Amino acid sequence: MNTYRLSRLVVPILLLSVILVVSCAPAAAPDPKQALVGTWTSTVTKEDVLRVVPDFQQEFLCENTGTFVWQFNADGTFTIDQTALPECPTPANPHIEDTWSIDGNQITFAKDTPFQEVYEWAVEGNTLVLKYVSGECIPCKATNTANPWTRVE
């Protein structure tokens, strides 16, 4: 009889203990890449470009300014679409497609190609900020870092 009472008491305590242990276990860390997936936009003026790269060549300002829409896809690809400023002609290459990957707080575009660029990145709420680390594309450095990017969706 005592064994029966004891088992009726021990089983619920053991079940409660298991539930508590499982619920206190750390949750799986979210994939930081997911913070970037989606659409971001930023408008970059001639003044913005010159603030970032003071010796930027004047004849290329219109080509590297405007409203940019950056789509980061979960598969590691991205697109950038550019709309010219009102006083500028349509850019020669208003659509770009390439790859991206992250390692900690660094994002790499076009990895292992001559066009590779590396930036530090941070997302806070609906704002993405890029800080130039390395790469040969001076216009990219200017447009990508001139202003924060705002999440569209």
Side-chain angles (χ1 to χ4, degrees):
M1 185 85 122
N2 287 339
T3 305
Y4 177 71
R5 280 191 209 165
L6 186 59
S7 67
R8 286 185 63 188
L9 185 61
V10 170
V11 170
I13 290 173
L14 286 174
L15 283 173
L16 183 59
S17 298
V18 169
I19 291 170
L20 288 173
V21 167
V22 169
S23 66
C24 292
D31 182 1
K33 185 176 184 179
Q34 293 305 311
L36 289 168
V37 171
T39 305
W40 302 84
T41 188
S42 183
T43 298
V44 180
T45 66
K46 294 175 186 178
E47 293 77 17
D48 292 329
V49 170
L50 292 170
R51 177 176 37 81
V52 177
V53 182
D55 59 347
F56 199 92
Q57 295 179 359
Q58 295 287 323
E59 64 268 23
F60 298 114
L61 282 172
C62 275
E63 188 68 25
N64 295 285
T65 55
T67 298
F68 296 85
V69 177
W70 207 331
Q71 174 67 47
F72 289 99
N73 301 310
D75 67 359
T77 61
F78 72 83
T79 60
I80 299 177
D81 292 296
Q82 177 186 5
T83 303
L85 293 174
E87 69 274 14
C88 293
T90 301
N93 192 12
H95 180 80
I96 296 171
E97 296 181 16
D98 217 316
T99 61
W100 66 283
S101 61
I102 61 169
D103 184 13
N105 73 331
Q106 291 195 338
I107 184 167
T108 301
F109 301 113
K111 188 173 187 168
D112 298 327
T113 74
F115 308 106
Q116 178 175 306
E117 301 170 55
V118 179
Y119 297 83
E120 289 180 2
W121 67 279
V123 171
E124 189 170 316
N126 288 326
T127 301
L128 166 64
V129 176
L130 297 174
K131 181 181 176 188
Y132 176 79
V133 174
S134 66
E136 300 298 320
C137 181
I138 299 304
C140 300
K141 172 185 175 182
T143 58
N144 293 343
T145 64
N147 297 313
W149 293 78
T150 303
R151 185 181 295 278
V152 175
E153 49 181 86

